[in-house]
Amino acid sequence: MMTGNSTGDTGVENKAMGGGENRAAGMNEAAGAIANVAGGGAAPTKAPAHVSAHTAARVSLNVRGMTCAACAARIEKGLNRLPGVQEATVNLATERASISYDPAQIQPEAMAAKIRDLGYDVAVERVQLSIVGMTCANCAARIERGLNKLPGVTATVNFGAETAHVTYVPGLVAPGDLVRRVKELGYEAFLPREDDTEAERSARASDLVRKRRLLGLSAGLSLPLLLAMIGHILHIDNPVIHWLSNGWVQLALATPVQFYAGWQFYVDSYYNLKNRSANMSVLVALGTSAAYFYSLAAVLFPALGIDGLYFETSAILITLILLGKLLEAQAKGRTSAAIKKLMGLQPKTARVVRGGAEVDVPIAEVQVGDVIVVRPGERIPVDGVVLEGRSTVDESMITGESMPVEKGPGDEVVGATVNRHGTFRFQATRVGKDTALAQIIRVVEEAQGSKAPIQRLADVVSSYFVPAVVGVAVVTFVAWYASTGDLTRSLLNMTAVLVIACPCALGLATPTAIMVGTGLGAEHGILFKGGEHLERTHQLDAVVLDKTGTITKGEPELTDIETTEGFDPGQVLSWVAAAERGSEHPLAQAIVAAAERRRMTLAAAHDFEAIPGHGIRAVVDGKTVLVGNRKLMRDNGIDPAPLEDVLERLEEEGKTAMLAAVDGQLAGAVAVADTVKESSAEAIAMLRRMGLRVMMITGDNRRTARAIARQVGIAEEDVMAEVLPEEKAGAVQRLQAQGLRVAMVGDGINDAPALAAANVGIAIGTGTDVAIEAADVTLIRGDLRGIVAAIRLSRATMGKIRQNLFWALIYNSLGIPFAALGLLNPIIAGAAMALSSVSVVTNSTLLRRFNPESGFKSAPETGGNEPALQAAEV
């Protein structure tokens, strides 16, 4: 075994021999690590108390029919009351319910039934499978029973047509799971070309078409009513205006608007009131019904002497609200652009070797172990290992590195990366939801579906808001009628209060910004595991950086060769590398790698001997070569004094210095060090300019730690050295006890407890799976500037949330008094209410223009600052 100096106080050596922190940061390991970003396991988690990993399960259901934050809060409350449900969060913007539950107590079907009982619907998809291998009706019955045992699946199998018609709940199963289940039963199943992603896109497009159709009908019937109102205000007297002002004509125009275009508000109100809650639909239904039925009474019972018709008020209100909902849906679609972009990276088909022939199959049918052929310019369909052939692959979507990576037999490839030049075959190792891209998409989807603490406060406000508004509306009506005796005026002011106070903007303020922020982060290689982590990141006071693999590359490299008089540096390196080739020590491997990079031909070494704690001895080209510390030299009668000054200088620089002797003569010294990443000093300087205290924690000795700290600009008092792995979490907690909100950045197994203990744990994506699991934020690349980008993005997102909440609250706070005082026409109130939600969502989408990496000296992405996860141009 080879050692450095006699004191054994070198950072790289300690890491390699006992610290357990030496990390390889190559792409092949990065692919495997990233593929498990969102995976399960027994890794430590952030929360202090969770259900056992053996019993806890999660499901994400697509909920349809929600109209405001009160809907989301009601569903959330209902789900959380179910036995076995540990935590349910409902996101209005993504229309998803994320549920953690105990499978022993409850199944997802019961949760879906509860959502339907609350008056909403759980989105389902339908698919038709072609089945081969059935021989009788019993086969069909067996497949049907097998499919129906899957959660959320209803299937009917037709033996004559050899098809299975399946209805399933996305999030519980995927089409690929259906195919695999049929194959487990002994048959073959094939999916149609269109996958579930296309089906969901089609469903959303259909919903937009429906909204446009209802808006068109409502607007077409409301326009004549608007003309009649304008004519009345301007005292225009002509036959058309006179005819449009007729009560029966207005009744005929307003009724389809009220009870066809606006029927959704009545249905939603029924389910809300049935479950003892209220939402936006209740306010809209109350307000428009008051105006409609008041006018209806005036038409049907003229003897009552009711003054004025207000059909246009109810019709135009519904039209404006439908317009707002359409614009809101279109804007919400833009907030999830990142997910769509990521999904677009996945190829639709794969060229698989089946029966000795190459056949194109849908991506959902690819199985682990399949041999897949990839040609130049094609995207790699799934994760795998190259079997034969060589090529270069553009992995910028994962690593952000613009230079293609050479691939050959034994190398790992990542799905959705682009094959540039050669043709090769590889064996699939991860398919479907297990691929790196699928894991990244899942992390982003879960983050977008989670709730930030600030959103929970907004949800609480929204849940009490609607009942309070109904109370204010009633008081407004009573007060106006008691003071004026004017029923019409009282009714209009009450309607204005009901309409202006809809809390849609308040409910959308946070989730839309979180969606855009987490999606934008994914595009720049930053994965936030939840909205709470995105929010917490902007509050940081200090950043603690692990040294090896985080500040440094985690790979020892040869840095210096110093020789005594009469010896050539190249020759000395050749002798030392030849001798060290027999050692598996990381420092020895660094020396051998340096010789290979210089294309040296190394002679064979004989009589290799590792001298524990001192170094090695070997015979190279008939010469006895010694490599090791001062004691090894002295024990062999060699005086190290001529190179003592060199050794001290190298050791002060934090390097591992070793002496070399040939045939009893001191030949020179070689130094190996874990070199600092090129961007570390720049990133640390940026963090300090942002007002953050930057610290380094390491198990290395103080001299090595301080040498590295000087290189990257960390103050000596902010260096925590000689910290054992199990003590890192305690060091973080001591900083927190001082009142600091701390981020811990690391990449190793021994960093996991500290990552979990920190306010925000940030894992370097090229590190170990355990560190990634324990972290709240994962930087897919190994670049520390990702920390800067993450904090910038968090601050920008929280800025948008504050803007949204401010305007939503100000809007309601000012609007309600104006309406109650009779200073706001109901139609103006309706227009303002409809556009308030649109303005909030639009403001959130403006966040997409923000570049968290602006200001970097050299961005690692392709083409400068293009998102790292963007589809690469072929």
Side-chain angles (χ1 to χ4, degrees):
M1 172 134 349
M2 181 177 70
T3 62
N5 54 58
S6 59
T7 59
D9 58 357
T10 56
V12 177
E13 180 182 9
N14 288 347
K15 293 286 185 182
M17 296 177 66
E21 292 186 17
N22 188 47
R23 236 70 83 216
M27 178 55 216
N28 292 340
E29 289 193 18
I34 295 165
N36 289 285
V37 165
T45 54
K46 187 72 179 175
H50 276 315
V51 201
S52 167
H54 299 291
T55 60
R58 288 193 67 83
V59 67
S60 177
L61 301 177
N62 191 348
V63 181
R64 292 179 178 171
M66 294 187 292
T67 56
C68 69
C71 299
R74 185 156 62 88
I75 297 172
E76 194 171 283
K77 188 182 298 181
L79 289 172
N80 279 314
R81 287 175 177 169
L82 293 175
V85 171
Q86 292 145 2
E87 183 182 23
T89 59
V90 181
N91 190 299
L92 173 64
T94 60
E95 298 182 330
R96 285 191 177 274
S98 299
I99 309 159
S100 176
Y101 67 100
D102 182 355
Q105 298 184 55
I106 190 170
Q107 291 300 312
E109 291 89 336
M111 306 170 202
K114 179 62 176 178
I115 292 172
R116 293 188 179 101
D117 185 59
L118 292 169
Y120 303 90
D121 197 14
V122 176
V124 296
E125 302 290 357
R126 293 173 177 81
V127 67
Q128 177 178 300
L129 302 178
S130 298
I131 298 178
V132 176
M134 293 188 295
T135 58
C136 65
N138 286 339
C139 296
R142 181 185 175 196
I143 295 171
E144 191 170 290
R145 285 195 301 271
L147 288 173
N148 283 321
K149 287 180 180 178
L150 294 174
V153 170
T154 303
T156 57
V157 179
N158 188 313
F159 171 64
E162 294 189 323
T163 59
H165 295 268
V166 185
T167 300
Y168 66 96
V169 178
L172 300 186
V173 294
D177 298 322
L178 305 175
V179 172
R180 280 187 279 275
R181 181 58 175 159
V182 173
K183 290 185 177 181
E184 288 170 2
L185 295 170
Y187 306 91
E188 290 290 323
F190 300 93
L191 285 165
R193 289 287 177 179
E194 184 179 65
D195 62 9
D196 57 326
T197 302
E198 294 295 333
E200 182 175 351
R201 187 180 297 117
S202 176
R204 291 190 180 276
S206 298
D207 185 56
L208 285 175
V209 169
R210 183 185 66 84
K211 283 182 167 66
R212 292 190 186 102
R213 180 169 49 80
L214 288 177
L215 175 61
L217 171 68
S218 184
L221 295 175
S222 299
L223 182 59
L225 297 172
L226 178 63
L227 292 175
M229 182 185 72
I230 293 173
H232 178 73
I233 293 173
L234 300 179
H235 303 290
I236 298 174
D237 188 13
N238 65 43
V240 175
I241 297 297
H242 183 73
W243 181 75
L244 291 176
S245 299
N246 181 276
W248 292 100
V249 172
Q250 293 201 358
L251 176 61
L253 292 170
T255 300
V257 176
Q258 188 73 32
F259 297 109
Y260 181 71
W263 184 246
Q264 57 188 299
F265 301 117
Y266 287 103
V267 173
D268 196 34
S269 296
Y270 165 74
Y271 282 109
N272 270 272
L273 296 174
K274 172 188 172 184
N275 290 279
R276 300 179 182 179
S277 65
N279 68 346
M280 182 210 76
S281 294
V282 173
L283 299 182
V284 173
L286 283 174
T288 58
S289 295
Y292 176 84
F293 286 110
Y294 174 86
S295 303
L296 179 64
V299 173
L300 297 180
F301 308 106
L304 295 176
I306 297 176
D307 182 27
L309 298 176
Y310 293 94
F311 285 117
E312 77 281 351
T313 300
S314 63
I316 294 172
L317 278 176
I318 290 173
T319 301
L320 290 171
I321 293 167
L322 292 177
L323 173 63
K325 287 297 174 187
L326 174 62
L327 296 175
E328 178 187 313
Q330 292 173 332
K332 280 163 63 178
R334 290 193 293 272
T335 64
S336 59
I339 287 289
K340 294 176 182 176
K341 184 182 294 182
L342 291 174
M343 289 179 171
L345 296 176
Q346 179 73 61
K348 304 299 181 187
T349 61
R351 188 173 295 106
V352 180
V353 178
R354 297 265 171 91
E358 297 177 8
V359 293
D360 289 338
V361 301
I363 196 71
E365 294 184 23
V366 177
Q367 302 290 314
V368 172
D370 278 345
V371 176
I372 300 168
V373 180
V374 184
R375 294 173 181 166
E378 294 181 341
R379 285 193 178 276
I380 296 169
V382 296
D383 300 354
V385 177
V386 177
L387 296 176
E388 59 182 76
R390 291 188 174 275
S391 183
T392 56
V393 177
D394 179 357
E395 295 178 331
S396 59
M397 62 148 285
I398 292 291
T399 65
E401 296 295 337
S402 58
M403 292 298 294
V405 181
E406 291 187 6
K407 297 291 181 180
D411 290 335
E412 291 189 9
V413 290
V414 181
T417 56
V418 180
N419 178 32
R420 284 300 188 191
H421 302 299
T423 298
F424 62 89
R425 294 188 177 199
F426 74 96
Q427 187 172 49
T429 57
R430 296 187 184 93
V431 300
K433 58 181 174 48
D434 296 323
T435 64
L437 180 63
Q439 298 285 10
I440 291 171
I441 290 172
R442 194 176 85 175
V443 170
V444 178
E445 284 181 331
E446 290 182 355
Q448 292 187 341
S450 66
K451 288 190 176 182
I454 195 171
Q455 182 182 345
R456 297 183 186 278
L457 176 62
D459 289 347
V460 170
V461 173
S462 296
S463 65
Y464 291 103
F465 198 76
V466 174
V469 167
V470 173
V472 172
V474 171
V475 170
T476 298
F477 177 84
V478 171
W480 273 94
Y481 191 71
S483 59
T484 65
D486 188 338
L487 178 64
T488 301
R489 186 69 183 274
S490 304
L491 188 66
L492 289 177
N493 291 340
M494 181 191 75
T495 301
V497 170
L498 289 170
V499 174
I500 194 67
C502 291
C504 301
L506 187 62
L508 291 167
T510 299
T512 53
I514 292 291
M515 286 178 67
V516 177
T518 52
L520 186 61
E523 291 180 1
H524 287 268
I526 306 162
L527 298 183
F528 290 94
K529 287 194 176 178
E532 66 273 22
H533 308 310
L534 179 62
E535 177 179 342
R536 201 180 293 126
T537 299
H538 91 286
Q539 301 169 333
L540 294 173
D541 302 309
V543 177
V544 178
L545 304 170
D546 178 49
K547 183 182 79 70
T548 304
T550 302
I551 294 177
T552 64
K553 294 178 180 178
E555 295 180 328
E557 292 182 0
L558 180 69
T559 58
D560 300 87
I561 304 174
E562 301 281 352
T563 60
T564 57
E565 187 175 352
F567 286 92
D568 175 69
Q571 184 62 64
V572 171
L573 175 60
S574 176
W575 284 327
V576 171
E580 293 285 16
R581 194 159 52 173
S583 172
E584 295 182 354
H585 195 285
L587 302 183
Q589 293 173 0
I591 294 172
V592 174
E596 290 175 346
R597 282 196 298 271
R598 301 182 189 194
R599 302 186 182 279
M600 290 182 172
T601 301
L602 301 181
H606 304 283
D607 301 327
F608 176 86
E609 180 187 1
I611 305 169
H614 297 82
I616 60 111
R617 176 189 288 109
V619 176
V620 179
D621 281 339
K623 300 179 184 295
T624 301
V625 178
L626 293 172
V627 184
N629 57 21
R630 297 172 178 86
K631 190 173 188 306
L632 177 66
M633 298 296 123
R634 293 191 185 102
D635 288 348
N636 286 273
I638 301 168
D639 184 8
L643 290 174
E644 187 62 39
D645 290 343
V646 172
L647 290 177
E648 290 181 1
R649 173 177 58 80
L650 294 172
E651 289 164 2
E652 281 296 326
E653 294 172 358
K655 300 172 182 177
T656 299
M658 292 158 285
L659 295 167
V662 180
D663 282 342
Q665 293 185 16
L666 185 66
V670 292
V672 175
D674 181 7
T675 55
V676 171
K677 293 177 182 177
E678 291 79 2
S679 60
S680 292
E682 180 185 353
I684 290 167
M686 286 176 161
L687 290 169
R688 296 183 67 168
R689 286 198 297 270
M690 295 170 75
L692 295 164
R693 181 180 177 186
V694 184
M695 311 178 75
M696 183 177 77
I697 189 168
T698 178
D700 283 347
N701 64 83
R702 296 189 184 280
R703 185 168 61 184
T704 301
R706 287 171 181 169
I708 295 295
R710 283 195 299 271
Q711 291 182 49
V712 296
I714 294 178
E716 186 172 314
E717 62 270 19
D718 288 332
V719 175
M720 293 179 281
E722 300 176 7
V723 180
L724 296 176
E726 60 271 21
E727 296 174 349
K728 288 186 177 181
V732 169
Q733 290 166 346
R734 285 192 293 275
L735 292 173
Q736 292 170 325
Q738 298 172 20
L740 297 175
R741 288 165 290 194
V742 181
M744 172 67 196
V745 187
D747 76 326
I749 291 174
N750 54 12
D751 298 325
L755 290 170
N759 298 88
V760 177
I762 301 176
I764 300 295
T766 49
T768 65
D769 299 350
V770 175
I772 292 171
E773 282 298 307
D776 307 311
V777 183
T778 297
L779 306 180
I780 294 180
R781 314 165 211 157
D783 192 331
L784 287 190
R785 290 176 300 186
I787 306 169
V788 179
I791 296 172
R792 284 179 174 171
L793 181 57
S794 174
R795 291 179 177 180
T797 303
M798 292 308 300
K800 283 294 180 187
I801 290 174
R802 291 192 188 98
Q803 292 171 16
N804 290 344
L805 290 174
F806 173 80
W807 288 113
L809 291 170
I810 285 294
Y811 160 82
N812 284 312
S813 300
L814 296 179
I816 292 175
F818 270 83
L821 292 172
L823 303 176
L824 205 60
N825 183 283
I827 293 177
I828 303 300
M833 188 278 290
L835 294 177
S836 66
S837 298
V838 179
S839 65
V840 164
V841 178
T842 302
N843 187 46
S844 293
T845 59
L846 292 177
L847 183 62
R848 290 195 57 79
R849 300 180 181 179
F850 177 74
N851 182 1
E853 296 177 357
S854 60
F856 290 6
K857 288 180 182 176
S858 57
E861 304 80 15
T862 305
N865 282 325
E866 289 301 312
L869 288 170
Q870 274 189 344
E873 294 296 330
V874 179

